[in-house]
PDB file of all heavy atoms in Angstrom:
ATOM      1  N   ALA B   1     -85.154 -30.053  29.922  1.00 98.00           N
ATOM      2  CA  ALA B   1     -85.470 -28.647  30.203  1.00 98.00           C
ATOM      3  C   ALA B   1     -85.838 -27.889  28.932  1.00 98.00           C
ATOM      4  O   ALA B   1     -86.825 -27.138  28.902  1.00 98.00           O
ATOM      5  CB  ALA B   1     -84.289 -27.979  30.897  1.00 98.00           C
ATOM      6  N   VAL B   2     -85.056 -28.081  27.869  1.00 98.00           N
ATOM      7  CA  VAL B   2     -85.336 -27.406  26.596  1.00 98.00           C
ATOM      8  C   VAL B   2     -86.683 -27.858  26.045  1.00 98.00           C
ATOM      9  O   VAL B   2     -87.490 -27.045  25.565  1.00 98.00           O
ATOM     10  CB  VAL B   2     -84.210 -27.678  25.583  1.00 98.00           C
ATOM     11  CG1 VAL B   2     -84.590 -27.162  24.201  1.00 98.00           C
ATOM     12  CG2 VAL B   2     -82.904 -27.039  26.044  1.00 98.00           C
ATOM     13  N   THR B   3     -86.944 -29.164  26.124  1.00 98.00           N
ATOM     14  CA  THR B   3     -88.228 -29.707  25.649  1.00 98.00           C
ATOM     15  C   THR B   3     -89.387 -29.127  26.447  1.00 98.00           C
ATOM     16  O   THR B   3     -90.430 -28.779  25.890  1.00 98.00           O
ATOM     17  CB  THR B   3     -88.235 -31.240  25.762  1.00 98.00           C
ATOM     18  OG1 THR B   3     -87.131 -31.779  25.037  1.00 98.00           O
ATOM     19  CG2 THR B   3     -89.525 -31.819  25.188  1.00 98.00           C
ATOM     20  N   GLY B   4     -89.204 -29.004  27.772  1.00 98.00           N
ATOM     21  CA  GLY B   4     -90.244 -28.428  28.614  1.00 98.00           C
ATOM     22  C   GLY B   4     -90.566 -26.997  28.228  1.00 98.00           C
ATOM     23  O   GLY B   4     -91.738 -26.599  28.182  1.00 98.00           O
ATOM     24  N   ILE B   5     -89.526 -26.202  27.936  1.00 98.00           N
ATOM     25  CA  ILE B   5     -89.731 -24.812  27.510  1.00 98.00           C
ATOM     26  C   ILE B   5     -90.521 -24.764  26.204  1.00 98.00           C
ATOM     27  O   ILE B   5     -91.504 -24.021  26.079  1.00 98.00           O
ATOM     28  CB  ILE B   5     -88.378 -24.090  27.350  1.00 98.00           C
ATOM     29  CG1 ILE B   5     -87.688 -23.938  28.721  1.00 98.00           C
ATOM     30  CG2 ILE B   5     -88.569 -22.709  26.706  1.00 98.00           C
ATOM     31  CD1 ILE B   5     -86.242 -23.482  28.623  1.00 98.00           C
ATOM     32  N   LEU B   6     -90.103 -25.571  25.238  1.00 98.00           N
ATOM     33  CA  LEU B   6     -90.764 -25.578  23.926  1.00 98.00           C
ATOM     34  C   LEU B   6     -92.210 -26.037  24.027  1.00 98.00           C
ATOM     35  O   LEU B   6     -93.116 -25.419  23.448  1.00 98.00           O
ATOM     36  CB  LEU B   6     -89.987 -26.481  22.959  1.00 98.00           C
ATOM     37  CG  LEU B   6     -88.598 -25.995  22.541  1.00 98.00           C
ATOM     38  CD1 LEU B   6     -87.909 -27.028  21.662  1.00 98.00           C
ATOM     39  CD2 LEU B   6     -88.703 -24.657  21.798  1.00 98.00           C
ATOM     40  N   PHE B   7     -92.463 -27.118  24.758  1.00 98.00           N
ATOM     41  CA  PHE B   7     -93.826 -27.646  24.886  1.00 98.00           C
ATOM     42  C   PHE B   7     -94.742 -26.640  25.591  1.00 98.00           C
ATOM     43  O   PHE B   7     -95.911 -26.509  25.231  1.00 98.00           O
ATOM     44  CB  PHE B   7     -93.821 -28.967  25.643  1.00 98.00           C
ATOM     45  CG  PHE B   7     -93.334 -30.144  24.844  1.00 98.00           C
ATOM     46  CD1 PHE B   7     -93.165 -31.390  25.441  1.00 98.00           C
ATOM     47  CD2 PHE B   7     -93.035 -30.020  23.496  1.00 98.00           C
ATOM     48  CE1 PHE B   7     -92.722 -32.483  24.706  1.00 98.00           C
ATOM     49  CE2 PHE B   7     -92.582 -31.112  22.754  1.00 98.00           C
ATOM     50  CZ  PHE B   7     -92.427 -32.348  23.364  1.00 98.00           C
ATOM     51  N   THR B   8     -94.205 -25.934  26.596  1.00 98.00           N
ATOM     52  CA  THR B   8     -95.011 -24.940  27.303  1.00 98.00           C
ATOM     53  C   THR B   8     -95.386 -23.789  26.381  1.00 98.00           C
ATOM     54  O   THR B   8     -96.550 -23.350  26.349  1.00 98.00           O
ATOM     55  CB  THR B   8     -94.263 -24.396  28.530  1.00 98.00           C
ATOM     56  OG1 THR B   8     -93.924 -25.465  29.406  1.00 98.00           O
ATOM     57  CG2 THR B   8     -95.131 -23.392  29.274  1.00 98.00           C
ATOM     58  N   ILE B   9     -94.412 -23.279  25.622  1.00 98.00           N
ATOM     59  CA  ILE B   9     -94.675 -22.164  24.704  1.00 98.00           C
ATOM     60  C   ILE B   9     -95.715 -22.559  23.660  1.00 98.00           C
ATOM     61  O   ILE B   9     -96.630 -21.781  23.342  1.00 98.00           O
ATOM     62  CB  ILE B   9     -93.368 -21.706  24.032  1.00 98.00           C
ATOM     63  CG1 ILE B   9     -92.441 -21.061  25.077  1.00 98.00           C
ATOM     64  CG2 ILE B   9     -93.657 -20.720  22.903  1.00 98.00           C
ATOM     65  CD1 ILE B   9     -91.062 -20.715  24.554  1.00 98.00           C
ATOM     66  N   ILE B  10     -95.610 -23.790  23.151  1.00 98.00           N
ATOM     67  CA  ILE B  10     -96.602 -24.267  22.180  1.00 98.00           C
ATOM     68  C   ILE B  10     -97.981 -24.373  22.831  1.00 98.00           C
ATOM     69  O   ILE B  10     -98.992 -23.970  22.254  1.00 98.00           O
ATOM     70  CB  ILE B  10     -96.179 -25.629  21.593  1.00 98.00           C
ATOM     71  CG1 ILE B  10     -94.897 -25.476  20.767  1.00 98.00           C
ATOM     72  CG2 ILE B  10     -97.300 -26.201  20.716  1.00 98.00           C
ATOM     73  CD1 ILE B  10     -94.292 -26.791  20.309  1.00 98.00           C
ATOM     74  N   ALA B  11     -98.022 -24.896  24.055  1.00 98.00           N
ATOM     75  CA  ALA B  11     -99.298 -25.100  24.754  1.00 98.00           C
ATOM     76  C   ALA B  11    -100.048 -23.789  24.977  1.00 98.00           C
ATOM     77  O   ALA B  11    -101.285 -23.760  24.896  1.00 98.00           O
ATOM     78  CB  ALA B  11     -99.054 -25.796  26.088  1.00 98.00           C
ATOM     79  N   VAL B  12     -99.319 -22.694  25.270  1.00 98.00           N
ATOM     80  CA  VAL B  12     -99.995 -21.414  25.501  1.00 98.00           C
ATOM     81  C   VAL B  12    -100.224 -20.643  24.205  1.00 98.00           C
ATOM     82  O   VAL B  12    -100.862 -19.581  24.230  1.00 98.00           O
ATOM     83  CB  VAL B  12     -99.193 -20.526  26.488  1.00 98.00           C
ATOM     84  CG1 VAL B  12     -99.111 -21.206  27.848  1.00 98.00           C
ATOM     85  CG2 VAL B  12     -97.810 -20.204  25.956  1.00 98.00           C
ATOM     86  N   SER B  13     -99.730 -21.177  23.085  1.00 97.00           N
ATOM     87  CA  SER B  13     -99.843 -20.485  21.802  1.00 97.00           C
ATOM     88  C   SER B  13    -100.910 -21.075  20.889  1.00 97.00           C
ATOM     89  O   SER B  13    -101.439 -20.376  20.016  1.00 97.00           O
ATOM     90  CB  SER B  13     -98.495 -20.496  21.072  1.00 97.00           C
ATOM     91  OG  SER B  13     -97.484 -19.897  21.857  1.00 97.00           O
ATOM     92  N   VAL B  14    -101.231 -22.363  21.064  1.00 98.00           N
ATOM     93  CA  VAL B  14    -102.249 -23.000  20.235  1.00 98.00           C
ATOM     94  C   VAL B  14    -103.544 -23.105  21.025  1.00 98.00           C
ATOM     95  O   VAL B  14    -103.611 -22.737  22.200  1.00 98.00           O
ATOM     96  CB  VAL B  14    -101.785 -24.391  19.753  1.00 98.00           C
ATOM     97  CG1 VAL B  14    -100.514 -24.269  18.919  1.00 98.00           C
ATOM     98  CG2 VAL B  14    -101.551 -25.340  20.925  1.00 98.00           C
ATOM     99  N   SER B  15    -104.580 -23.627  20.397  1.00 93.00           N
ATOM    100  CA  SER B  15    -105.883 -23.663  21.064  1.00 93.00           C
ATOM    101  C   SER B  15    -106.453 -25.077  21.119  1.00 93.00           C
ATOM    102  O   SER B  15    -105.962 -25.993  20.463  1.00 93.00           O
ATOM    103  CB  SER B  15    -106.872 -22.745  20.325  1.00 93.00           C
ATOM    104  OG  SER B  15    -107.006 -23.153  18.971  1.00 93.00           O
ATOM    105  N   GLY B  16    -107.488 -25.224  21.941  1.00 93.00           N
ATOM    106  CA  GLY B  16    -108.244 -26.466  22.000  1.00 93.00           C
ATOM    107  C   GLY B  16    -107.453 -27.668  22.470  1.00 93.00           C
ATOM    108  O   GLY B  16    -106.548 -27.562  23.305  1.00 93.00           O
ATOM    109  N   PHE B  17    -107.781 -28.822  21.883  1.00 95.00           N
ATOM    110  CA  PHE B  17    -107.179 -30.078  22.313  1.00 95.00           C
ATOM    111  C   PHE B  17    -105.676 -30.102  22.096  1.00 95.00           C
ATOM    112  O   PHE B  17    -104.957 -30.749  22.856  1.00 95.00           O
ATOM    113  CB  PHE B  17    -107.828 -31.252  21.574  1.00 95.00           C
ATOM    114  CG  PHE B  17    -107.250 -32.579  21.963  1.00 95.00           C
ATOM    115  CD1 PHE B  17    -107.576 -33.173  23.180  1.00 95.00           C
ATOM    116  CD2 PHE B  17    -106.352 -33.243  21.131  1.00 95.00           C
ATOM    117  CE1 PHE B  17    -107.033 -34.392  23.554  1.00 95.00           C
ATOM    118  CE2 PHE B  17    -105.800 -34.461  21.495  1.00 95.00           C
ATOM    119  CZ  PHE B  17    -106.149 -35.036  22.706  1.00 95.00           C
ATOM    120  N   TYR B  18    -105.185 -29.390  21.064  1.00 97.00           N
ATOM    121  CA  TYR B  18    -103.744 -29.384  20.812  1.00 97.00           C
ATOM    122  C   TYR B  18    -102.994 -28.751  21.981  1.00 97.00           C
ATOM    123  O   TYR B  18    -101.895 -29.174  22.345  1.00 97.00           O
ATOM    124  CB  TYR B  18    -103.431 -28.647  19.507  1.00 97.00           C
ATOM    125  CG  TYR B  18    -103.889 -29.402  18.284  1.00 97.00           C
ATOM    126  CD1 TYR B  18    -105.004 -28.986  17.565  1.00 97.00           C
ATOM    127  CD2 TYR B  18    -103.217 -30.553  17.863  1.00 97.00           C
ATOM    128  CE1 TYR B  18    -105.442 -29.688  16.446  1.00 97.00           C
ATOM    129  CE2 TYR B  18    -103.637 -31.259  16.748  1.00 97.00           C
ATOM    130  CZ  TYR B  18    -104.762 -30.828  16.048  1.00 97.00           C
ATOM    131  OH  TYR B  18    -105.191 -31.537  14.956  1.00 97.00           O
ATOM    132  N   SER B  19    -103.580 -27.723  22.576  1.00 98.00           N
ATOM    133  CA  SER B  19    -102.964 -27.104  23.745  1.00 98.00           C
ATOM    134  C   SER B  19    -102.904 -28.095  24.907  1.00 98.00           C
ATOM    135  O   SER B  19    -101.880 -28.225  25.577  1.00 98.00           O
ATOM    136  CB  SER B  19    -103.762 -25.863  24.159  1.00 98.00           C
ATOM    137  OG  SER B  19    -103.213 -25.280  25.323  1.00 98.00           O
ATOM    138  N   VAL B  20    -104.012 -28.804  25.132  1.00 98.00           N
ATOM    139  CA  VAL B  20    -104.053 -29.818  26.190  1.00 98.00           C
ATOM    140  C   VAL B  20    -103.022 -30.912  25.923  1.00 98.00           C
ATOM    141  O   VAL B  20    -102.341 -31.380  26.847  1.00 98.00           O
ATOM    142  CB  VAL B  20    -105.460 -30.441  26.292  1.00 98.00           C
ATOM    143  CG1 VAL B  20    -105.478 -31.581  27.309  1.00 98.00           C
ATOM    144  CG2 VAL B  20    -106.483 -29.388  26.689  1.00 98.00           C
ATOM    145  N   LEU B  21    -102.883 -31.301  24.683  1.00 97.00           N
ATOM    146  CA  LEU B  21    -101.936 -32.354  24.316  1.00 97.00           C
ATOM    147  C   LEU B  21    -100.512 -31.978  24.695  1.00 97.00           C
ATOM    148  O   LEU B  21     -99.757 -32.808  25.230  1.00 97.00           O
ATOM    149  CB  LEU B  21    -102.020 -32.629  22.808  1.00 97.00           C
ATOM    150  CG  LEU B  21    -101.062 -33.698  22.264  1.00 97.00           C
ATOM    151  CD1 LEU B  21    -101.341 -35.060  22.895  1.00 97.00           C
ATOM    152  CD2 LEU B  21    -101.173 -33.787  20.742  1.00 97.00           C
ATOM    153  N   PHE B  22    -100.139 -30.718  24.475  1.00 98.00           N
ATOM    154  CA  PHE B  22     -98.769 -30.313  24.801  1.00 98.00           C
ATOM    155  C   PHE B  22     -98.563 -30.151  26.308  1.00 98.00           C
ATOM    156  O   PHE B  22     -97.439 -30.310  26.789  1.00 98.00           O
ATOM    157  CB  PHE B  22     -98.386 -29.043  24.035  1.00 98.00           C
ATOM    158  CG  PHE B  22     -97.901 -29.336  22.647  1.00 98.00           C
ATOM    159  CD1 PHE B  22     -98.771 -29.280  21.563  1.00 98.00           C
ATOM    160  CD2 PHE B  22     -96.585 -29.711  22.413  1.00 98.00           C
ATOM    161  CE1 PHE B  22     -98.342 -29.588  20.281  1.00 98.00           C
ATOM    162  CE2 PHE B  22     -96.140 -30.028  21.138  1.00 98.00           C
ATOM    163  CZ  PHE B  22     -97.031 -29.959  20.062  1.00 98.00           C
ATOM    164  N   ILE B  23     -99.626 -29.870  27.051  1.00 98.00           N
ATOM    165  CA  ILE B  23     -99.505 -29.909  28.508  1.00 98.00           C
ATOM    166  C   ILE B  23     -99.274 -31.346  28.952  1.00 98.00           C
ATOM    167  O   ILE B  23     -98.435 -31.615  29.822  1.00 98.00           O
ATOM    168  CB  ILE B  23    -100.765 -29.328  29.181  1.00 98.00           C
ATOM    169  CG1 ILE B  23    -100.908 -27.841  28.858  1.00 98.00           C
ATOM    170  CG2 ILE B  23    -100.713 -29.542  30.697  1.00 98.00           C
ATOM    171  CD1 ILE B  23     -99.746 -26.983  29.344  1.00 98.00           C
ATOM    172  N   ALA B  24     -99.988 -32.290  28.338  1.00 97.00           N
ATOM    173  CA  ALA B  24     -99.783 -33.708  28.659  1.00 97.00           C
ATOM    174  C   ALA B  24     -98.366 -34.147  28.301  1.00 97.00           C
ATOM    175  O   ALA B  24     -97.745 -34.931  29.027  1.00 97.00           O
ATOM    176  CB  ALA B  24    -100.809 -34.565  27.919  1.00 97.00           C
ATOM    177  N   LEU B  25     -97.844 -33.620  27.200  1.00 98.00           N
ATOM    178  CA  LEU B  25     -96.493 -33.987  26.770  1.00 98.00           C
ATOM    179  C   LEU B  25     -95.410 -33.439  27.697  1.00 98.00           C
ATOM    180  O   LEU B  25     -94.259 -33.872  27.617  1.00 98.00           O
ATOM    181  CB  LEU B  25     -96.250 -33.506  25.335  1.00 98.00           C
ATOM    182  CG  LEU B  25     -96.935 -34.325  24.237  1.00 98.00           C
ATOM    183  CD1 LEU B  25     -96.752 -33.668  22.881  1.00 98.00           C
ATOM    184  CD2 LEU B  25     -96.403 -35.758  24.215  1.00 98.00           C
ATOM    185  N   LEU B  26     -95.785 -32.522  28.586  1.00 98.00           N
ATOM    186  CA  LEU B  26     -94.821 -32.097  29.602  1.00 98.00           C
ATOM    187  C   LEU B  26     -94.422 -33.286  30.476  1.00 98.00           C
ATOM    188  O   LEU B  26     -93.338 -33.291  31.060  1.00 98.00           O
ATOM    189  CB  LEU B  26     -95.417 -30.985  30.471  1.00 98.00           C
ATOM    190  CG  LEU B  26     -95.567 -29.614  29.815  1.00 98.00           C
ATOM    191  CD1 LEU B  26     -96.192 -28.622  30.790  1.00 98.00           C
ATOM    192  CD2 LEU B  26     -94.220 -29.091  29.318  1.00 98.00           C
ATOM    193  N   GLY B  27     -95.292 -34.300  30.542  1.00 95.00           N
ATOM    194  CA  GLY B  27     -94.927 -35.527  31.255  1.00 95.00           C
ATOM    195  C   GLY B  27     -93.692 -36.163  30.650  1.00 95.00           C
ATOM    196  O   GLY B  27     -92.829 -36.691  31.370  1.00 95.00           O
ATOM    197  N   LEU B  28     -93.586 -36.116  29.322  1.00 95.00           N
ATOM    198  CA  LEU B  28     -92.412 -36.650  28.624  1.00 95.00           C
ATOM    199  C   LEU B  28     -91.174 -35.818  28.968  1.00 95.00           C
ATOM    200  O   LEU B  28     -90.099 -36.369  29.232  1.00 95.00           O
ATOM    201  CB  LEU B  28     -92.659 -36.634  27.114  1.00 95.00           C
ATOM    202  CG  LEU B  28     -91.560 -37.198  26.211  1.00 95.00           C
ATOM    203  CD1 LEU B  28     -91.341 -38.685  26.486  1.00 95.00           C
ATOM    204  CD2 LEU B  28     -91.919 -36.983  24.746  1.00 95.00           C
ATOM    205  N   ALA B  29     -91.335 -34.502  28.976  1.00 96.00           N
ATOM    206  CA  ALA B  29     -90.212 -33.623  29.309  1.00 96.00           C
ATOM    207  C   ALA B  29     -89.790 -33.783  30.763  1.00 96.00           C
ATOM    208  O   ALA B  29     -88.609 -33.650  31.096  1.00 96.00           O
ATOM    209  CB  ALA B  29     -90.597 -32.166  29.037  1.00 96.00           C
ATOM    210  N   ASN B  30     -90.737 -34.098  31.643  1.00 95.00           N
ATOM    211  CA  ASN B  30     -90.453 -34.176  33.077  1.00 95.00           C
ATOM    212  C   ASN B  30     -89.857 -35.510  33.520  1.00 95.00           C
ATOM    213  O   ASN B  30     -89.241 -35.582  34.594  1.00 95.00           O
ATOM    214  CB  ASN B  30     -91.749 -33.944  33.873  1.00 95.00           C
ATOM    215  CG  ASN B  30     -92.263 -32.527  33.749  1.00 95.00           C
ATOM    216  OD1 ASN B  30     -91.514 -31.608  33.441  1.00 95.00           O
ATOM    217  ND2 ASN B  30     -93.551 -32.335  33.975  1.00 95.00           N
ATOM    218  N   ALA B  31     -90.028 -36.541  32.730  1.00 90.00           N
ATOM    219  CA  ALA B  31     -89.738 -37.903  33.180  1.00 90.00           C
ATOM    220  C   ALA B  31     -88.336 -38.091  33.753  1.00 90.00           C
ATOM    221  O   ALA B  31     -88.153 -38.739  34.787  1.00 90.00           O
ATOM    222  CB  ALA B  31     -89.977 -38.889  32.033  1.00 90.00           C
ATOM    223  N   LEU B  32     -87.322 -37.538  33.094  1.00 88.00           N
ATOM    224  CA  LEU B  32     -85.943 -37.814  33.492  1.00 88.00           C
ATOM    225  C   LEU B  32     -85.330 -36.736  34.372  1.00 88.00           C
ATOM    226  O   LEU B  32     -84.147 -36.816  34.720  1.00 88.00           O
ATOM    227  CB  LEU B  32     -85.081 -37.996  32.230  1.00 88.00           C
ATOM    228  CG  LEU B  32     -85.501 -39.143  31.316  1.00 88.00           C
ATOM    229  CD1 LEU B  32     -84.589 -39.216  30.102  1.00 88.00           C
ATOM    230  CD2 LEU B  32     -85.499 -40.467  32.059  1.00 88.00           C
ATOM    231  N   VAL B  33     -86.121 -35.734  34.760  1.00 91.00           N
ATOM    232  CA  VAL B  33     -85.574 -34.635  35.549  1.00 91.00           C
ATOM    233  C   VAL B  33     -85.243 -35.077  36.974  1.00 91.00           C
ATOM    234  O   VAL B  33     -84.145 -34.819  37.485  1.00 91.00           O
ATOM    235  CB  VAL B  33     -86.548 -33.438  35.563  1.00 91.00           C
ATOM    236  CG1 VAL B  33     -85.994 -32.314  36.430  1.00 91.00           C
ATOM    237  CG2 VAL B  33     -86.787 -32.925  34.144  1.00 91.00           C
ATOM    238  N   TRP B  34     -86.183 -35.740  37.635  1.00 87.00           N
ATOM    239  CA  TRP B  34     -85.958 -36.195  39.016  1.00 87.00           C
ATOM    240  C   TRP B  34     -84.717 -37.089  39.130  1.00 87.00           C
ATOM    241  O   TRP B  34     -83.825 -36.813  39.940  1.00 87.00           O
ATOM    242  CB  TRP B  34     -87.211 -36.898  39.519  1.00 87.00           C
ATOM    243  CG  TRP B  34     -87.091 -37.546  40.868  1.00 87.00           C
ATOM    244  CD1 TRP B  34     -86.537 -38.767  41.160  1.00 87.00           C
ATOM    245  CD2 TRP B  34     -87.541 -37.024  42.131  1.00 87.00           C
ATOM    246  NE1 TRP B  34     -86.617 -39.041  42.501  1.00 87.00           N
ATOM    247  CE2 TRP B  34     -87.230 -37.982  43.124  1.00 87.00           C
ATOM    248  CE3 TRP B  34     -88.180 -35.854  42.509  1.00 87.00           C
ATOM    249  CZ2 TRP B  34     -87.539 -37.790  44.467  1.00 87.00           C
ATOM    250  CZ3 TRP B  34     -88.486 -35.663  43.841  1.00 87.00           C
ATOM    251  CH2 TRP B  34     -88.168 -36.624  44.811  1.00 87.00           C
TER     252      TRP B  34
END
């Protein structure tokens, strides 16, 4: 959950491919939630 919050804030704060990368990294944050 903490990782998801941090990755989301970074994704909406940076630009271009780096923003997309942190949206993709939400997959890492989401993996163990279910």
Side-chain angles (χ1 to χ4, degrees):
V2 171
T3 304
I5 293 169
L6 292 176
F7 284 174
T8 302
I9 292 173
I10 294 172
V12 297
S13 302
V14 300
S15 58
F17 180 76
Y18 290 106
S19 178
V20 175
L21 179 62
F22 276 95
I23 295 299
L25 285 174
L26 288 179
L28 182 63
N30 292 337
L32 299 179
V33 178
W34 174 279

